[in-house]
C-alpha cells in the first residue's frame, strides 16, 4: 500500500511539473530509514506564486485535483506532504511513517516501489539508511 501510494504521488508530481512548471528536469530523491520513507521531488521551473502556495499549504484549501489526490494518499498513511517553492522551482516531500510490520520486513516493499518507479536506477542493493537520487529529463515541449 505504501509503495503504491508513493508511486502515484510521484506520477502525479511528474504530471504537474510537465503541465505547470516549465522545467525540463526533475530531481527525485527516495530515502528509506528505519521508521519512515521520504520521497522528494524538485524541479527547477518557474515556481508557485506565494499567494497560491500559501493557499495550497492549507489542509482545507481547495487545491487542484492532483495535489488533493497526493495529499489524500499521504494522509491515509498518517504521513505529511510538504511543499516549498520560489522563483527557482518547487520542492515537494512526501514523508510516510512505516508501520512496525513494514519495518520488520526490512526493505522488501520499499525496494519493490523504487524498482517499479525507475528500474534502471536501482541496480544493486537498497538497504536501511540508504538514499537514492535521480534526475529525470522531461521530454521537450
Amino acid at each position: 500500500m505504501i509503495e503504491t501510494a508513493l508511486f502515484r504521488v510521484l506520477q502525479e508530481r511528474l504530471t504537474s511539473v510537465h503541465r505547470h512548471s516549465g522545467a525540463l528536469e526533475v530531481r527525485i530523491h527516495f530515502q528509506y530509514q528505519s521508521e519512515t520513507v521520504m520521497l522528494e521531488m524538485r524541479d527547477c521551473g518557474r515556481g508557485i506564486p506565494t499567494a497560491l502556495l500559501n493557499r495550497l499549504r492549507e489542509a482545507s484549501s481547495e487545491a487542484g485535483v492532483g495535489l488533493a489526490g497526493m495529499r489524500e494518499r499521504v494522509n491515509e498513511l498518517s504521513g505529511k506532504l510538504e511543499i516549498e517553492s520560489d522563483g527557482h522551482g518547487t520542492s515537494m516531500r512526501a514523508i510516510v511513517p512505516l508501520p512496525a510490520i513494514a519495518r520488520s520486513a526490512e526493505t522488501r516493499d520499499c525496494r519493490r516501489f523504487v524498482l517499479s518507479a525507475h528500474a534502471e536506477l536501482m541496480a544493486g542493493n537498497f538497504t536501511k539508511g540508504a538514499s537514492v537520487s535521480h534526475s529525470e529529463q522531461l521530454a521537450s515541449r
Side-chain angles (χ1 to χ4, degrees):
M1 183 165 164
I2 292 172
E3 60 275 3
T4 301
L6 290 177
F7 179 79
R8 295 294 181 214
V9 167
L10 173 63
Q11 190 175 42
E12 185 60 43
R13 175 69 172 115
L14 291 174
T15 299
S16 177
V17 168
H18 180 72
R19 288 183 182 160
H20 305 293
S21 80
L24 297 177
E25 184 175 289
V26 176
R27 290 187 199 105
I28 302 164
H29 180 81
F30 179 83
Q31 187 169 14
Y32 173 78
Q33 297 176 329
S34 62
E35 298 195 10
T36 62
V37 291
M38 189 230 3
L39 175 64
E40 181 175 24
M41 300 145 292
R42 171 127 181 103
D43 69 68
C44 296
R46 64 181 62 97
I48 302 170
T50 304
L52 177 58
L53 181 61
N54 290 336
R55 286 196 311 268
L56 293 175
R57 285 180 176 153
E58 296 172 16
S60 62
S61 77
E62 291 188 24
V65 173
L67 182 58
M70 287 187 275
R71 186 176 282 145
E72 183 178 330
R73 288 180 190 278
V74 171
N75 286 343
E76 285 176 355
L77 298 170
S78 301
K80 60 183 175 178
L81 191 67
E82 300 173 346
I83 304 170
E84 296 175 17
S85 189
D86 58 26
H88 302 290
T90 301
S91 178
M92 180 178 289
R93 279 180 297 286
I95 303 166
V96 178
L98 291 173
I101 191 164
R103 289 195 302 266
S104 68
E106 294 296 318
T107 62
R108 182 181 63 236
D109 291 337
C110 290
R111 183 180 294 130
R112 187 177 313 124
F113 160 69
V114 174
L115 287 171
S116 68
H118 206 288
E120 65 271 16
L121 174 64
M122 292 294 92
N125 294 326
F126 193 77
T127 59
K128 270 188 189 176
S131 65
V132 176
S133 291
H134 177 65
S135 183
E136 182 70 30
Q137 292 286 95
L138 298 178
S140 62
R141 299 177 193 254

